[in-house]
Amino acid sequence: MEIVWFKRDLRIRDHAPLADAAAAGPVLALFLHEPEIILAPDFSAAHAGFIRECLDSLHAALQERGGELVEMTGSAPGLLEQIWQQQPFATLRSHQETGNRASYQRDELVAAWCRAHGVTWRQSPQNGVIRSQDARAKRDWIAELDAYSSSEPVKPPRHIIPAKLPAMPTGFVAPLQVAGHDKPGRMKGGRAEAIGLLTAFMRTKISRYPYAISSPITAEHGCSRLSPFLAYGVITMREIVLAMNRRVDSPELAVNEAERERLISALRFFADRLRWRAGYFQNMESMPQMEFDNIHPGMNGLREGEFDPVFFARWRDGETGYPMMDAAMHMLHHTGWINMRMRGMLLSFAVNELWLHWREPALFLAREFVDYEPAIHYNQMQIHAGTAGAGSMLAYNPVKQAQELDPKGIFVRRWLPALRAVPDAYIFTPWTMPPAVQTTCGVVIGTDYPAPLVDHLDAARQARSRVGDAQIAAGMRPQSVRGRDGQKVAGTSQVALF
C-alpha cells in the first residue's frame, strides 16, 4: 500500500504522486482536515466551502477509476500513526507545498515521523518551485520554470486499486466547524468549473484580457478567474500553458495574421503573470518568515506600535469614506474575489494612508480572498508597505482610480446602494457635496455615508516620506513615488509562450 496525501493539489490530472502510486499497487488516497490549518487566523468558512466542493469533485474523479478518497480529521503525524498501526506502509507520496508557517511546521513533523518509521516521503515539485536555496543558486530558475511549464501534464491513471484498511482509523470524524459564514457570491469549486472557465477564457476572452484586468467593471468577466482553482491545485500551470499553446495553433488563426499577433501578445501578457506567480512562490520558499517578519530587517519598527483599531475597523467594514475603496471591500465581502488593481488599492490604503502594520490587514484579507495563497499574499503585502526592499512601496489614489476605472460610477453605485442618487460630479468625492445637494439626493455625509477617515493625499505624502527615510537609514536607495498605472502589453511575433 502507498499513501497519496492530497493537500493543495485537488485533482487527478497532472498529479505525479497519484500516477506513480497507482502504477505501484493499491493506493490510499488521503485528505486531512487539520486543526492547525483550519483553526489558523488566515482560514475562513469561504475557504472551507470551496475546498469541500473541490473534494467532492476529486472523490468523484477517483471513483470513476475505481479509487476512493479517505478524509480524516486531526493532526497529520497522529493520523499517519493510526494508519501505520493498522497497516505499515513504505511510501508516502505528495506534492511539495509552499504555504504558511503552519504548513511548514506540519511538514517538518511529518518528515520526522517518516524518518522514525522508515517511511520514504516522496514529494513531487509543483508550481515550478526549486526547493532549497542552495539548489536555486546553482541553477537557472527561469529556464527551469519555462521547461517545467512547457512539459506535458502527467496523465491520470486509468485505474486505481483502493487500499483496504481493517478498520477506519478513529480520526475519521466530521470536518471541523469553521467560525464565520460562507460568502453568498463565492465561486463554486470543482474540476468541471475550472475547465469550463479555462475553455471560455481561451476561446473568447484572452484577446481582451490585457485591457480588461484593471477596471473592476471589466475585470469581473474579463479575467480568467482561475486563481482559486490554481490556489487549491484543481488545475495546474502546465495545463494552462498547454491550453495557451493549443489556442495559438488553432486553425481559425492561421488565416488571420493580425488577429494571431494580437492573440499571441495577450497570451504572453498572461504568461508573464503566471511567471510572476511562480516567482512569488520561489521567494516564499526561500524566505518563509515573510509571513511574520519584514522582508528587509532595516524596516523593522516602521509601523509597529502605531496600530489604530478604529482605522482598521472602518477599513475592514468598507467605511473609509472613499467610495471606490468601500465598494471594492463590499464586493470582496460578497464574492471573495476582486481584481488585482482593487486588491492593491485596498491593501495600500491600509498600510500607507492609514499607517497600519501589514500583519493584521494581511490576515483579514487572507480570510476574505477565496484564492488566498500565502506566497503571493505576503509578497504583495510587503511590496506595497515598502518593507520588501528599496522602492517597493506602492501607493494608489482612490479618487483617481475611481475616475479612471469607473468613470460613470457604475461599480460604486452597484456595491454602495446608499450613493446611487449622488450626482456624477460628486460620486467619487461625496464629502464635497454642498449641504443642499446632500439633502436633495438624500445622502448626508456623516449620517448616510461616512466622511473620509483621512485626507488621502496628505496621508500618502507622509507615508512616502516615512518609508523613504527608513529606507535611506537602512542603506537602501528608495524611489520617492510609485503609482500603479496600466501595464503595457508588448507585442511579439514569437509563438513560444514559455
Side-chain angles (χ1 to χ4, degrees):
M1 177 182 78
E2 292 197 354
I3 293 183
V4 176
W5 179 15
F6 287 89
K7 296 186 283 185
R8 281 182 172 247
D9 52 354
L10 306 181
R11 63 185 184 275
I12 65 169
R13 180 173 170 77
D14 202 17
H15 200 293
L18 178 63
D20 292 342
V27 175
L28 179 65
L30 182 65
F31 182 85
L32 305 179
H33 299 273
E34 304 167 79
E36 297 86 351
I37 304 296
I38 293 173
L39 301 180
D42 58 355
F43 195 85
S44 72
H47 299 149
F50 189 84
I51 291 170
R52 178 68 266 158
E53 292 159 359
C54 293
L55 288 173
D56 291 343
S57 174
L58 173 61
H59 197 171
L62 290 168
Q63 285 185 322
E64 287 178 358
R65 289 160 174 78
E68 293 287 340
L69 180 66
V70 175
E71 296 183 49
M72 300 172 68
T73 299
S75 298
L79 297 178
L80 292 173
E81 179 67 28
Q82 288 186 35
I83 296 171
W84 170 270
Q85 291 297 326
Q86 292 196 57
Q87 186 171 331
F89 52 92
T91 305
L92 171 67
R93 297 184 186 273
S94 73
H95 277 107
Q96 295 173 355
E97 183 175 356
T98 303
N100 59 8
R101 180 175 292 179
S103 70
Y104 275 86
Q105 292 174 336
R106 179 270 319 277
D107 285 354
E108 290 176 347
L109 293 174
V110 169
W113 183 91
C114 288
R115 288 193 297 270
H117 290 74
V119 172
T120 300
W121 185 10
R122 300 191 184 281
Q123 298 185 70
S124 300
Q126 189 170 228
N127 296 313
V129 171
I130 298 175
R131 180 147 285 183
S132 160
Q133 192 168 1
D134 292 339
R136 181 185 176 190
K138 296 176 182 177
R139 293 148 70 176
D140 185 342
W141 174 71
I142 292 295
E144 294 208 14
L145 170 66
D146 287 356
Y148 165 83
S149 303
S150 300
S151 60
E152 193 72 18
V154 178
K155 294 181 179 179
R158 293 183 177 179
H159 184 68
I160 300 169
I161 302 173
K164 300 296 184 182
L165 297 177
M168 182 58 64
T170 58
F172 183 74
V173 295
L176 295 166
Q177 295 298 312
V178 182
H181 303 282
D182 203 348
K183 296 184 177 300
R186 172 180 60 78
M187 296 172 66
K188 184 180 179 182
R191 176 74 179 184
E193 285 71 19
I195 295 302
L197 285 170
L198 177 60
T199 301
F201 183 61
M202 289 299 159
R203 182 178 298 162
T204 63
K205 298 181 180 180
I206 182 62
S207 293
R208 301 190 303 272
Y209 170 75
Y211 313 100
I213 63 173
S214 294
S215 170
I217 300 173
T218 54
E220 183 176 5
H221 301 291
C223 287
S224 73
R225 303 298 296 271
L226 291 170
S227 55
F229 302 94
L230 281 167
Y232 291 100
V234 180
I235 197 168
T236 69
M237 180 190 296
R238 290 199 293 199
E239 292 183 281
I240 294 173
V241 171
L242 178 63
M244 292 164 69
N245 287 327
R246 285 176 174 170
R247 184 69 179 94
V248 169
D249 295 334
S250 57
E252 67 267 24
L253 293 183
V255 296
N256 190 334
E257 188 62 27
E259 178 61 23
R260 186 170 183 272
E261 290 298 320
R262 189 163 74 96
L263 173 66
I264 291 173
S265 178
L267 287 168
R268 288 182 65 84
F269 185 82
F270 187 64
D272 283 343
R273 276 130 192 89
L274 292 177
R275 286 192 181 93
W276 291 352
R277 176 180 182 272
Y280 290 138
F281 273 89
Q282 191 65 61
N283 285 343
M284 187 73 164
E285 185 71 26
S286 302
M287 298 180 291
Q289 69 275 13
M290 74 169 64
E291 181 184 355
F292 295 92
D293 303 327
N294 291 332
I295 293 174
H296 197 293
M299 307 305 287
N300 291 345
L302 181 63
R303 294 179 178 84
E304 292 85 337
E306 297 186 48
F307 190 88
D308 188 322
V310 174
F311 278 10
F312 175 73
R314 291 274 298 275
W315 170 82
R316 176 198 64 201
D317 296 339
E319 297 177 353
T320 67
Y322 288 97
M324 194 66 160
M325 189 81 56
D326 296 339
M329 187 65 84
H330 281 262
M331 178 179 177
L332 181 58
H333 290 167
H334 183 79
T335 68
W337 183 91
I338 50 173
N339 63 313
M340 183 178 177
R341 181 69 68 87
M342 295 298 99
R343 294 182 191 216
M345 183 183 67
L346 284 178
L347 64 91
S348 172
F349 193 83
V351 299
N352 293 317
E353 281 87 337
L354 301 184
W355 203 245
L356 301 172
H357 187 272
W358 53 264
R359 174 67 180 164
E360 283 303 315
L363 287 175
F364 169 75
L365 291 175
R367 295 189 295 269
E368 291 293 302
F369 293 150
V370 175
D371 56 6
Y372 163 60
E373 287 186 305
I376 299 174
H377 193 64
Y378 291 105
N379 270 287
Q380 281 292 310
M381 288 301 305
Q382 298 219 37
I383 288 171
H384 284 76
T387 55
S392 65
M393 176 188 170
L394 294 177
Y396 294 73
N397 182 325
V399 175
K400 182 180 179 183
Q401 292 294 316
Q403 292 168 340
E404 293 181 353
L405 303 178
D406 186 27
K408 296 182 180 180
I410 296 172
F411 177 76
V412 164
R413 289 186 172 94
R414 174 185 176 188
W415 292 104
L416 298 178
L419 299 184
R420 285 178 180 168
V422 172
D424 288 351
Y426 302 104
I427 188 62
F428 305 129
T429 56
W431 63 90
T432 65
M433 285 191 293
V437 177
Q438 295 185 37
T439 301
T440 299
C441 69
V443 179
V444 177
I445 300 303
T447 300
D448 302 300
Y449 184 73
L453 267 180
V454 294
D455 180 316
H456 71 94
L457 291 175
D458 183 60
R461 281 193 293 268
Q462 292 186 44
R464 283 194 292 269
S465 177
R466 296 179 72 173
V467 170
D469 289 347
Q471 291 182 346
I472 291 172
M476 293 182 275
R477 298 177 60 188
Q479 298 177 15
S480 59
V481 177
R482 289 190 67 186
R484 291 297 290 173
D485 298 320
Q487 297 287 343
K488 181 181 179 182
V489 182
T492 177
S493 61
Q494 300 178 7
V495 175
L497 302 173
F498 272 87

